[in-house]
Amino acid sequence: MKKLKKDIVFYRTKNGSLAYFYPEGDPEAYRARKSAGKLKGPIKRELGNRKRYDNVEEETVRFRTKSVRKHGEFELGEGVLRDPDRENDIRTARDLYRQYGGNIRVRGAHEHEVGQHNPDYMWDKKLWDKKDNEQPTKNAVKNSVRTGIHQIAEIPGGVIVEPHKDLPVHEAKEYARQRLAESGKTGMKVLIIRNGKVKVVWKKK
């Protein structure tokens, strides 16, 4: 496949909204052009120094190949096994542990100080939070990333988002990218998963 440039080209659509796509060769380019309708031309100058999408990179292949670790401990915090609302959290943790190893603890409801957030997992000494989308919408994905980032802010590892089954992965992928680009600490990740498999990994540069 032709090597892609990193820069994203921005366009203004006929109704004034932004459309963006990678240079020719990216599989998303055609869909983006088609959905944008009539384009008025490049508008990089309008973005100034914001560079909203330049501080996130995809590392799906790297994560799948280099994140495999020696299997350590898999733990369930106090009360987790008895809580029916944590079944999805446990299943996701087991899937990640089986595929990537490391030390994973599904945190109990009281493993935090008063006034602090309580994310779902401690994975290799970093905090991770799992979000399940109940609606197949852009806002559902972006809100998941936003709230997940706040949850793990103390020792950030990443946010795990499972989009609604009716939302295509490629759409969820772009919504997650946009939200991560707007906030989050360097090194923080967002994982898009479906049926227990990691489909996309974004990393804040």
Side-chain angles (χ1 to χ4, degrees):
M1 179 181 289
K2 181 180 178 181
K3 186 175 181 180
L4 304 178
K5 297 179 181 179
K6 291 184 178 180
D7 294 336
I8 295 176
V9 179
F10 289 81
Y11 282 86
R12 180 72 68 185
T13 68
K14 60 182 179 182
N15 65 3
S17 61
L18 282 178
Y20 59 93
F21 53 86
Y22 290 94
E24 187 173 356
D26 188 286
E28 301 293 333
Y30 175 75
R31 281 191 291 270
R33 289 191 182 96
K34 185 176 179 181
S35 65
K38 184 178 179 181
L39 302 177
K40 293 186 177 180
I43 59 159
K44 282 188 176 181
R45 61 186 180 279
E46 295 185 25
L47 298 177
N49 295 322
R50 288 163 61 193
K51 296 183 179 179
R52 290 178 58 196
Y53 302 99
D54 292 344
N55 59 358
V56 175
E57 64 182 357
E58 184 172 351
E59 62 163 29
T60 308
V61 174
R62 186 182 307 127
F63 183 87
R64 288 174 176 168
T65 57
K66 295 187 178 181
S67 291
V68 178
R69 314 166 178 86
K70 179 179 179 181
H71 283 72
E73 298 291 331
F74 182 89
E75 300 178 310
L76 299 178
E78 183 178 354
V80 171
L81 196 59
R82 299 189 299 272
D83 186 347
D85 293 334
R86 302 301 300 278
E87 289 181 4
N88 285 339
D89 294 340
I90 296 172
R91 181 166 53 250
T92 297
R94 290 193 187 281
D95 289 337
L96 293 172
Y97 180 73
R98 183 172 59 252
Q99 297 172 66
Y100 302 105
N103 295 282
I104 296 182
R105 178 179 177 82
V106 183
R107 290 161 55 91
H110 305 292
E111 295 188 33
H112 62 291
E113 300 294 331
V114 175
Q116 291 184 339
H117 296 293
N118 189 30
D120 296 312
Y121 311 127
M122 178 68 79
W123 188 5
D124 286 346
K125 299 182 180 180
K126 292 187 177 181
L127 297 173
W128 291 73
D129 199 49
K130 167 78 185 304
K131 299 295 183 184
D132 297 296
N133 292 164
E134 297 181 357
Q135 298 294 329
T137 63
K138 171 182 179 179
N139 285 340
V141 175
K142 297 186 78 170
N143 287 338
S144 291
V145 176
R146 177 181 60 81
T147 56
I149 285 173
H150 287 301
Q151 289 281 93
I152 66 174
E154 185 181 356
I155 315 173
V159 181
I160 303 164
V161 179
E162 183 157 13
H164 190 281
K165 61 183 178 60
D166 292 334
L167 184 68
V169 169
H170 74 269
E171 293 185 24
K173 163 185 175 179
E174 290 307 318
Y175 302 151
R177 174 191 174 94
Q178 293 168 26
R179 194 63 188 85
L180 181 60
E182 296 166 1
S183 60
K185 296 182 179 180
T186 300
M188 182 179 292
K189 296 180 177 68
V190 171
L191 276 56
I192 303 293
I193 67 171
R194 178 152 287 168
N195 298 324
K197 302 291 185 181
V198 175
K199 297 296 185 180
V200 179
V201 180
W202 291 122
K203 181 180 179 180
K204 183 73 174 281
K205 294 192 293 185

